DNA sequence: CGCAGTAACGTAAGCACTTACGTAATTGCC
DNA sequence: GGCAATTACGTAAGTGCTTACGTTACTGCG
């Protein structure tokens, strides 16, 4: 192509073309996997998914676009039922955009597609090696030959067939432990000092005192984590359970919970408790079905500001589990 | 920025944003240096400059855009006097777009700006190192901080102050010798076998037989070249003179011509001739002012199909040079 | 407390492309 | 040599952004 000979001068044109091809490739992947959304919506929808309800200007600033762009897209998404808008009671100028429950459910299933796109794109970029121009050239070649699209397809097929694995702590996965937890903490609460300490150095704060950290992986991709903290001899806390948005509903949370309980039992612990919040409805359901029962009073001397739920593990109480798990059956099929 | 955390998934958005920022940065550079054109025109204008007159679909295919895009831009450029359109007599559907003389003159001066943009962009891309994502991040940082714009400015300032240097043959510059000549040969004629041989391996075809190759450089950038070929003992040919489009009118051709004549004289040659074409008006003027006189008959046994001009160097005939050079004075000031 | 300055949007219009479509000329093929 | 298929390319309309502008609400400062 003529522009290749023009070096960096044609970068603008080529970047734009590659950008558009990437949107198109992503859209093909969405369509093929039965997801009805447009790649251009990704920044806004993903922001709302990860960070929770937000105003137009907040989103615009975060994704690097102008507020009219977000405003117009929001109107369209609102018309299609993806998002809702309510007034901000503290500031009448501002509106709060929020994913509809339906959209939230849809997005929670997109993990494998996103992961497939990410892998294919990373592979294409890496093939170029060295410079930006080389990487761009490799991208263009992959797009022109259809290799990018084929790669997305095959990665997605692999991910859909893959099973969730539970793996023990690995120091090189410490950043995943932090990333996954920071994501939901920022969304639902704020990072407290206890969190920062534990997440920043899990080795010394969790592993060395006699606790454990488990990772849920799907085809090598870390998509969830959970920790068992040793509080006192025989007393353990289940904590830092996090599953990546986009991979929810595949059973990772259940597997992590079972894994942590197994770790607790391997240590012959006496007491296993957890602290959580009423706001985290689906998580509480999971804990209940896993054998945790609500404790009437809040835990004395809790280290979390946010904790208004205190649950304790009672091995006998796993009866509800099978019943709760049943309606999830079709999800498991999709997930595996 | 939020999108940075999304890895390759946000590549489309980021590429588009960087693309638009690059257009904007280039436009700032054009405006600051007093050039009245839009960065979006670059692919079309540059194609016409380098390859010569072309049809809408040919350009569209070459620059990777759709024909309506080129068609619409062509209409705009035609209205502004940048290009003209005439009918293709062999195919009534097709039109032939051609740069106006004025546009050609403007584009011939853009070399330093283009070079400055290229250098700044290359530096930004290199700062990221490794992967496409890193390079992109570096780009975004440079754009946000204004460093890219500042770099373009300072590179341009350097280039405008720089003088043209004439350097002897260096084997690592052989690709420049080829590139510069292929560019104009493809535009004005076609590559003949003689050309391919000489350009592909100048060492054995030019240097070793006792000839010479000179390069014109501006601040380290190779922008022109010219060769002295040894035809027989004492008989030399001036050939393969080429100056990059974008750097014309800065006196590089004159300097190369003088340099080659000096090489000829250093070798105590008897005869120095050249072959050219009537179609290359400005080049013929240069040769005339440099002391070459037209020979009435074509050269017997010419190796070029395209040659319809045969000139011979006569040392006394350099009188016209000063007169011809005079109106160029302001150009030299700009060029240095 | 009043009121300039600023912030949060929404709307309109523009821009650089695209896809869709129509028309006229050329090519290919029996 | 005739006619279907293809090609060149203009026009219209759509898209995903942008800039420009206006309205309403909030904020800070004398």
């Amino acid at each position: 192509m003529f522009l290749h000979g023009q070096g960096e001068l044609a970068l603008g044109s080529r970047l734009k073309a590659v950008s558009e091809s990437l949107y198109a490739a992503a859209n093909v992947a969405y369509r093929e996997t039965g997801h009805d959304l447009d790649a251009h919506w990704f920044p806004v929808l993903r922001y709302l998914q990860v960070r929770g309800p937000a105003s137009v200007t907040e989103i615009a600033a975060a994704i690097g676009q102008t507020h009219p762009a977000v405003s117009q897209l929001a109107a369209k998404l609102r018309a299609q039922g993806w998002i809702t808008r309510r007034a901000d009671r503290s500031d009448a100028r501002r509106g709060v955009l929020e994913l509809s429950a339906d959209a939230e459910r849809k997005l929670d299933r997109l993990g494998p597609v996103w992961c497939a796109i990410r892998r294919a794109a990373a592979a294409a970029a890496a093939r170029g090696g060295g410079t930006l121009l080389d990487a761009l050239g490799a991208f263009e070649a992959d797009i022109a030959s259809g290799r990018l699209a084929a790669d997305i397809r095959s990665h997605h097929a692999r991910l859909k067939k893959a099973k969730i694995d539970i793996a023990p702590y690995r120091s090189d996965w410490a950043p995943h432990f932090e990333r996954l937890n920071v994501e939901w903490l920022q969304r639902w609460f704020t990072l407290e000092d206890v969190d920062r300490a534990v997440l920043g150095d899990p080795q010394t704060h969790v592993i060395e005192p006699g606790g454990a950290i488990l990772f849920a992986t799907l085809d090598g991709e870390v998509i969830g984590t959970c920790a068992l903290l040793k509080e006192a001899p025989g007393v353990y806390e289940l904590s830092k359970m996090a599953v990546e948005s986009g991979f929810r509903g595949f059973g990772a949370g259940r597997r992590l919970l079972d894994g942590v309980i197994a770790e607790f039992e391997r240590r012959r612990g006496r007491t296993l408790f957890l602290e959580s919040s009423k706001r985290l409805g689906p998580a509480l359901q999971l804990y209940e079905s896993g054998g945790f029962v609500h404790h009437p009073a809040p835990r004395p001397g809790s280290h979390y500001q946010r904790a208004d739920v205190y649950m304790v593990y009672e091995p006998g109480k796993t009866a509800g589990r099978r019943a709760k798990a049943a309606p999830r059956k079709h999800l498991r099929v999709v997930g595996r």
Side-chain angles (χ1 to χ4, degrees), chain A:
Chain A
M1 215 245 274
F2 171 73
L3 292 184
H4 287 39
Q6 301 303 311
E8 288 83 4
L9 278 176
L11 248 171
S13 299
R14 290 174 65 190
L15 287 174
K16 185 165 189 185
V18 168
S19 159
E20 269 160 23
S21 303
L22 282 176
Y23 282 122
N27 279 335
V28 168
Y30 288 145
R31 207 171 333 109
E32 284 180 355
T33 55
H35 296 284
D36 176 33
L37 83 166
D38 188 298
H40 289 97
W41 306 346
F42 176 81
V44 168
L45 291 179
R46 179 74 176 157
Y47 186 85
L48 290 173
Q49 183 192 28
V50 172
R51 296 290 170 87
S55 73
V56 168
T57 27
E58 180 191 337
I59 298 172
I63 68 176
Q65 289 182 2
T66 57
H67 81 263
V70 176
S71 177
Q72 289 160 18
L73 177 56
K76 192 191 292 181
L77 292 176
R78 208 136 65 95
Q80 298 193 23
W82 284 85
I83 62 176
T84 58
R85 190 210 149 109
R86 57 168 207 270
D88 183 327
R89 54 218 150 332
S90 78
D91 186 339
R93 294 168 305 176
R94 207 152 32 194
V96 179
L97 304 180
E98 188 171 6
L99 288 176
S100 68
D102 187 46
E104 199 115 32
R105 233 174 300 119
K106 285 181 187 165
L107 292 179
D108 278 349
R109 291 300 151 68
L110 275 166
V113 191
W114 285 339
C115 189
I117 295 171
R118 196 152 31 92
R119 286 180 174 191
R127 250 190 296 287
T131 72
L132 175 68
L133 241 47
D134 292 337
L136 214 54
F139 243 109
E140 289 164 334
D142 276 20
I143 287 163
S145 69
R147 176 170 185 169
L148 186 73
D151 274 11
I152 293 177
R153 259 190 291 275
S154 71
H155 276 302
H156 187 255
R158 274 176 63 88
L159 284 161
K160 276 193 45 173
K161 265 188 295 194
K163 284 194 307 207
I164 285 172
D165 288 315
I166 301 297
Y169 181 74
R170 285 168 45 172
S171 61
D172 58 321
W173 282 356
H176 288 297
F177 182 64
E178 183 170 18
R179 170 179 67 84
L180 290 163
N181 276 288
V182 165
E183 196 175 282
W184 71 266
L185 280 170
Q186 279 188 339
R187 153 128 201 213
W188 293 103
F189 309 101
T190 46
L191 273 178
E192 298 179 24
D193 286 342
V194 206
D195 301 316
R196 250 184 284 270
V198 172
L199 297 174
D201 187 359
Q203 181 72 36
T204 60
H205 288 92
V206 183
I207 306 297
E208 281 168 17
I213 291 177
L214 298 180
F215 289 102
T217 66
L218 192 71
D219 194 32
E221 232 35 69
V222 176
I223 62 157
T225 187
C226 188
L228 179 74
L229 303 177
K230 183 167 186 176
E231 178 75 7
V235 181
Y236 292 86
E237 174 182 2
L238 185 151
S239 179
K240 301 286 174 287
M241 156 98 68
V243 175
E244 185 154 335
S245 40
F247 287 94
R248 305 231 171 97
F250 292 100
R254 148 91 34 213
R255 298 283 310 277
L256 286 166
L257 184 67
D258 290 349
V260 164
I261 291 172
E263 287 290 325
F264 164 74
E265 281 165 353
R266 225 159 47 78
R267 283 169 175 71
R268 308 201 177 284
R270 213 170 356 96
T271 312
L272 176 61
F273 70 92
L274 64 82
E275 290 185 88
S276 185
S277 162
K278 288 185 187 122
R279 299 166 65 187
L280 303 172
L284 299 185
Q285 278 197 317
L286 175 67
Y287 297 142
E288 286 162 14
S289 77
F292 281 83
V293 296
H294 286 274
H295 205 273
R299 195 172 87 88
S302 160
H303 14 246
Y304 303 112
Q305 297 262 342
R306 58 181 172 265
D308 58 2
V309 167
Y310 176 32
M311 300 180 82
V312 177
Y313 178 57
E314 292 192 9
K317 297 277 181 160
T318 51
R321 180 170 165 181
R322 203 153 301 256
K324 292 266 176 190
R328 298 197 151 210
K329 199 169 148 196
H330 69 286
L331 306 187
R332 277 214 297 275
V333 174
V334 171
R336 286 183 188 175

